[in-house]
Amino acid sequence: MVILDIVTEDPAWSRWSEDALARARDQGELVINPIVYSEVSVGFDRIEDLDDAVPAEDFRREELPFEAGFLAGKAFLAYRKREGHNRSPLPDFYIGAHSAVRGYRLLTRDATRYKTYFPTVALIAPEP
């Protein structure tokens, strides 16, 4: 939750998240989908405050393509066969699939799942 790290001034992650987001912005367009938007929303009481934190002029809002839904389902199935216990597709699978289908780089602090299930997605993540 890179954006939440920044707005909540997370002591462990805010600096890394600010720097990574700034570098990503310098390298290309920032895209946010409804799932990321909903994850970030937990840090806000009002939608107006959330929209101030992720303004449309800085973050292009994009719907999830149906192809991403298909890929998310396949990745989730692979996860379930390997180790998973969750019964419904996790938001991370939709986010990873969206990035894979559109060829986006993905800014995340949790690279392990994306590397495993979406190996073609270029990640911006902390060094292990």
Side-chain angles (χ1 to χ4, degrees):
M1 297 272 230
V2 171
I3 297 169
L4 278 179
D5 292 343
I6 297 166
V7 298
T8 63
E9 299 178 354
D10 182 279
W13 288 104
S14 63
R15 177 165 303 285
W16 181 89
S17 295
E18 285 175 19
D19 292 345
L21 187 63
R23 282 192 309 274
R25 186 178 314 129
D26 290 345
Q27 295 172 357
E29 185 175 36
L30 300 176
V31 177
I32 189 170
N33 67 37
I35 293 173
V36 174
Y37 187 87
S38 71
E39 287 182 336
V40 175
S41 76
V42 302
F44 298 89
D45 293 329
R46 300 174 342 113
I47 194 170
E48 295 83 4
D49 296 332
L50 172 58
D51 285 339
D52 286 344
V54 289
E57 56 270 10
D58 292 339
F59 294 84
R60 182 166 54 86
R61 284 149 165 73
E62 185 172 295
E63 297 298 325
L64 288 169
F66 279 89
E67 299 86 354
F70 181 83
L71 182 56
K74 296 303 176 194
F76 181 71
L77 181 61
Y79 160 79
R80 288 291 311 248
K81 286 179 179 178
R82 289 178 77 169
E83 63 182 298
H85 302 291
N86 291 318
R87 295 267 174 218
S88 62
L90 300 171
D92 288 350
F93 288 102
Y94 286 110
I95 293 166
H98 186 196
S99 297
V101 166
R102 293 291 194 235
Y104 295 148
R105 294 172 299 136
L106 180 61
L107 177 58
T108 181
R109 284 195 285 111
D110 183 17
T112 302
R113 182 173 293 150
Y114 295 113
K115 284 180 183 177
T116 301
Y117 297 102
F118 303 99
T120 63
V121 173
L123 299 177
I124 302 168
E127 295 296 321

